[in-house]
Amino acid sequence: MGLFDKAKNAFTQAGSQATGQAAGQDWAAQAQAAQELANQAMRDAGYTDGAPVTMANASEVSAAMSADHDVLNAYGQELNRIIAIGQPGTSVIKSAVDTGERISGNPWYQLEIEVTLPGREPYTVQKREMLAPQFLANYAEGSVHDIAVDPADPNKTAFTS
């Protein structure tokens, strides 16, 4: 056996040990854990019942995701429009009620807010707002937020803080 054969065998043995049965099981366990996380995310978003996306349900899941994307895009564009042209003011959240509707796993809330603009009397607005669960505590009753108000329709508002 020559020098290069010995080197080749040494690398082959080291590679076999590094990628042997134990490492293969770790990779398989990691892949399974990743799949379970993906299934959980799809279930939390409301796209599946927790089962993996398959060829049988891929078009249905894709259609639901696309519809949510379109709603979220339009919602974001409207908020950005109001922020860009809106008159600055402040608001106090009077109530926040979960409507039971979800989009991409995030709940929609019906908010009642008291809006105050400079030089005007405070007034109340009812608005539908998507609030991600991790930010819900920021929108508790009594919390104060900066707001932008559409000059053409004072009932259209967007939080800026």
Side-chain angles (χ1 to χ4, degrees), residues 87-94 113-125 143-149 154 157-161:
Q87 180 180 3
T90 58
S91 66
V92 177
I93 297 183
K94 297 299 184 182
I113 60 173
E114 182 179 87
V115 176
T116 303
L117 296 174
R120 291 186 54 185
E121 290 294 315
Y123 65 97
T124 302
V125 170
S143 61
V144 178
H145 300 272
D146 293 333
I147 200 164
V149 178
T157 63
F159 292 113
T160 58
S161 70

Side-chain angles (χ1 to χ4, degrees), residues 85-154:
I85 66 165
Q87 180 180 3
T90 58
S91 66
V92 177
I93 297 183
K94 297 299 184 182
S95 69
V97 178
D98 188 337
T99 66
E101 298 172 81
R102 300 286 183 271
I103 188 155
S104 296
N106 294 308
W108 287 98
Y109 282 83
Q110 185 65 36
L111 302 180
E112 181 178 293
I113 60 173
E114 182 179 87
V115 176
T116 303
L117 296 174
R120 291 186 54 185
E121 290 294 315
Y123 65 97
T124 302
V125 170
Q126 301 284 330
K127 70 178 286 165
R128 186 172 172 258
E129 189 83 12
M130 184 193 62
L131 298 174
Q134 64 267 32
F135 300 118
L136 184 57
N138 296 340
Y139 294 89
E141 289 182 20
S143 61
V144 178
H145 300 272
D146 293 333
I147 200 164
V149 178
D150 186 334
D153 184 350

Side-chain angles (χ1 to χ4, degrees), residues 38-67:
N39 295 344
Q40 174 76 28
M42 294 299 277
R43 188 188 80 217
D44 291 349
Y47 298 126
T48 69
D49 61 0
V53 176
T54 64
M55 292 302 289
N57 67 359
S59 65
E60 181 182 324
V61 171
S62 178
M65 293 173 84
S66 180

